[in-house]
Amino acid sequence: MSLPVRYRRSAAVSAAALLCLAGAAGIAQAQPESLYAPSAMVFSVAQGDDATAPTVLRATTVSCAPGAQGTHPDPKAACAALKSTGGTFDRLLSTPNPDRACPMHYAPVTVSAVGVWEGRRVAWDHTFANSCTMAATLNGNAIFAF
């Protein structure tokens, strides 16, 4: 027994609709979970001049996308400071404050930023002669104010 033409056409349209829905579902699963590029960083301050094996004095985390969060005491300010660098972390450094006198003893301190910034992997560190020089050069930068 053969189905009338209107039922065969209806079945074909239903099958095509199911295939389109199945295809759309596959496309929807391939979309990224977020519109924001990931930005999650670990910042540390360590004693020593070797960034590969320092004695970490303190560390904190910041995640900036989609909102500022982490263990940093002020993640919003840290994310704003990071954004102002344009991805060039040497911009965190400034000319030391000339009104601030630091002792001339060598007790190296290394600051590090490691993680993912706006979707790309980064690893940056800078060594200062001592903690006073670090404070004078970072000049109140929110990122290492922890």
Side-chain angles (χ1 to χ4, degrees):
M1 175 175 169
S2 176
L3 290 175
V5 174
R6 72 174 193 214
Y7 290 121
R8 279 187 277 168
R9 188 176 307 143
S10 177
V13 169
S14 295
L18 284 175
L19 287 174
C20 287
L21 286 175
I27 291 171
Q29 291 174 354
Q31 297 295 321
E33 292 182 24
S34 173
L35 297 175
Y36 304 98
S39 293
M41 302 288 297
V42 176
F43 301 105
S44 64
V45 177
Q47 190 68 47
D49 57 4
D50 182 8
T52 59
T55 302
V56 176
L57 302 173
R58 57 190 187 273
T60 192
T61 61
V62 172
S63 177
C64 297
Q69 57 188 349
T71 60
H72 193 283
D74 191 354
K76 286 182 182 181
C79 288
L82 282 170
K83 193 153 198 74
S84 74
T85 68
T88 305
F89 290 90
D90 282 336
R91 291 182 182 164
L92 297 173
L93 308 172
S94 63
T95 304
N97 183 346
D99 295 331
R100 184 166 185 174
C102 286
M104 297 292 287
H105 72 279
Y106 187 69
V109 178
T110 301
V111 295
S112 300
V114 178
V116 177
W117 179 249
E118 295 184 343
R120 63 173 215 274
R121 176 110 172 84
V122 295
W124 175 86
D125 60 77
H126 187 84
T127 301
F128 301 93
N130 55 50
S131 58
C132 180
T133 306
M134 177 189 77
T137 306
L138 291 174
N139 220 7
N141 189 299
I143 294 172
F144 291 101
F146 59 89

